[in-house]
Amino acid sequence: MHRNECKVRREPNAIAALNIWLNNREKVMRVFLPAMLLCAAWQSHAEQPSTLALGQGVVEQFYAGNTSAVWPRMTADMQKAIGRESNLKNVRDSVFAQLGTEERLLSERVESSGGFDVYLRRTSFSESAVPVAITVSFDREGRIAGFLIRPEPEAAESPYLDYDTQAQLRLPFDGEWYVFWGGRSVEQNYHAIASDQRFAYDFVMLRDGRSHTGNGTLNEQYHCWEQPILAPAAGIVTTAVDGLPDLNPGDMDGAMPAGNHVILNLGNDEFALFAHLRQDSIVVEKGDEVAAGEVLGLCGNSGNTSEPHLHFHIQDQDGFGKGLGKPAFFLDYLADGEPVERGEPLRGQRVEAAD
């Protein structure tokens, strides 16, 4: 969830935003601090060569200053957001003036999100002390529906880097789920830039490499929709927010970023937060004692989230957005079919309880 979607921001009919952050890193951090973004299923270059080629072509033309070639490929909403082609050229000139020129490609990949194909490029620029992330989103006709250039923020400092979770955690769901964000680096887990979400996870369910059936415009098309969300350990419910609406995929509620959510006090200053739950699905109340594996509610799409998923993290204080994040080590699970006695799931892994 997010006050301003960091990769793609979808309007009712299309993504309609050109988001450019240059070397004002304080502004970048303010934008990203409450982030709990999800961007659907990762797919390899081989599976989506056309999106890879499209993204590379747009970036090359943008670098070359060939805005007359980029402009007509943008959606009408994108053009309206930018205003005129000359503004796009001004953006290009500002990027080079403040970041310098690209020196080395670090990585690139493609993703699929809410009916849009997304090209992500990570690169080093001559005048930027940190890597620069470039994201280009395409609609089904291959038109440019979103464009983002920003210096990559650094992971938040934390006194808990060597902390061992005291609660004996099981995974907060049954069945196989995919770790969309998880890990300690920003590249593995963009939550790492936020101090309260330093070790957070986003989980979805994939089938045939996709998080949904059809065109992904309905919540019911997502595989994780209404899946039971479980207490990972015994605890006491300190917060249970319900009744907020589930939004259509791509629409987000920045005013209530966690959406319907539950917080459990697991003891030892470990508070587990479960966000974006289904409206009217939460079956626990503040003060309830719950056991490990007990159902808390159902996976939904409430709050500032781009599609149905589970956001989970542990923090050292009660209350959403408070305190510092703590690592969440889970026990006895499978990661890509291999048994893990105790570990932290990583981006790209498929995880499920071992028993």
Side-chain angles (χ1 to χ4, degrees):
M1 62 191 172
H2 213 292
R3 286 193 188 124
N4 193 346
E5 175 66 73
C6 72
K7 286 187 173 60
V8 290
R9 181 179 180 179
R10 190 177 175 196
E11 302 299 333
N13 297 314
I15 297 174
L18 175 68
N19 300 311
I20 302 292
W21 287 280
L22 301 175
N23 60 356
N24 185 347
R25 295 185 60 215
E26 291 185 0
K27 179 177 180 182
V28 172
M29 290 300 289
R30 287 199 301 273
V31 170
F32 278 73
L33 274 176
M36 290 186 190
L37 165 72
L38 181 73
C39 285
W42 177 89
Q43 295 186 4
S44 70
H45 295 172
E47 290 171 321
Q48 288 193 332
S50 60
T51 302
L52 181 67
L54 282 172
Q56 291 171 333
V58 169
V59 170
E60 289 171 5
Q61 290 173 334
F62 182 78
Y63 283 173
N66 191 9
T67 54
S68 61
V70 176
W71 179 257
R73 297 178 59 186
M74 290 185 161
T75 63
D77 284 339
M78 276 291 294
Q79 291 180 346
K80 182 179 179 180
I82 298 168
R84 56 176 64 93
E85 183 187 325
S86 60
N87 291 342
L88 181 61
K89 184 180 185 303
N90 292 338
V91 168
R92 182 262 183 196
D93 293 343
S94 295
V95 168
F96 280 178
Q98 298 190 48
L99 296 181
T101 57
E102 182 177 303
E103 291 186 320
R104 185 163 62 94
L105 175 65
L106 302 176
S107 65
E108 58 183 346
R109 67 179 189 273
V110 295
E111 294 176 353
S112 165
S113 178
F116 295 89
D117 294 321
V118 187
Y119 168 74
L120 301 103
R121 183 183 186 95
R122 187 170 178 267
T123 185
S124 63
F125 270 67
S126 58
E127 302 302 319
S128 176
V130 297
V132 173
I134 301 173
T135 306
V136 187
S137 304
F138 299 95
D139 66 12
R140 291 304 188 194
E141 285 71 46
R143 296 172 299 184
I144 301 168
F147 193 19
L148 166 66
I149 299 177
R150 64 171 176 84
E152 185 176 89
E154 296 177 344
E157 295 184 2
S158 172
Y160 295 120
L161 293 176
D162 297 322
Y163 181 82
D164 285 326
T165 314
Q166 298 302 295
Q168 303 296 295
L169 300 180
R170 56 152 290 160
L171 291 173
F173 42 70
D174 286 330
E176 182 184 86
W177 290 61
Y178 178 84
V179 186
F180 192 87
W181 293 119
R184 299 198 172 196
S185 69
V186 173
E187 189 172 13
Q188 290 176 310
N189 188 359
Y190 88 105
H191 298 100
I193 65 175
S195 57
D196 62 320
Q197 300 173 40
R198 180 64 177 82
F199 308 95
Y201 298 97
D202 278 343
F203 297 103
V204 298
M205 299 184 84
L206 296 186
R207 293 175 189 164
D208 299 322
R210 297 179 65 83
S211 62
H212 58 82
T213 60
N215 58 12
T217 59
L218 301 175
N219 286 321
E220 293 79 4
Q221 294 175 322
Y222 287 80
H223 305 308
C224 65
W225 174 252
E226 294 189 332
Q227 288 293 315
I229 303 304
L230 313 178
I236 299 174
V237 177
T238 62
T239 300
V241 174
D242 204 349
L244 297 173
D246 289 282
L247 303 176
N248 293 324
D251 296 335
M252 299 184 295
D253 182 2
M256 301 295 292
N260 301 310
H261 64 281
V262 171
I263 300 178
L264 291 184
N265 182 354
L266 306 179
N268 299 297
D269 294 325
E270 295 178 351
F271 295 86
L273 183 143
F274 312 77
H276 313 310
L277 301 183
R278 176 79 163 94
Q279 183 179 16
D280 299 328
S281 75
I282 294 176
V283 295
V284 295
E285 297 179 350
K286 182 176 179 178
D288 285 352
E289 295 185 12
V290 299
E294 188 172 333
V295 175
L296 304 175
L298 304 180
C299 185
N301 194 36
S302 60
N304 214 11
T305 168
S306 56
E307 71 172 62
H309 73 285
L310 171 66
H311 172 97
F312 173 85
H313 74 258
I314 291 179
Q315 56 193 51
D316 64 2
Q317 292 184 35
D318 190 16
F320 170 69
K322 297 184 179 179
L324 301 176
K326 284 185 169 182
F329 285 89
F330 295 98
L331 305 179
D332 302 323
Y333 66 95
L334 302 178
D336 296 330
E338 296 296 323
V340 178
E341 228 176 275
R342 179 181 177 87
E344 296 173 282
L346 300 176
R347 174 175 168 81
Q349 290 182 335
R350 295 172 182 265
V351 297
E352 61 180 316
D355 44 4

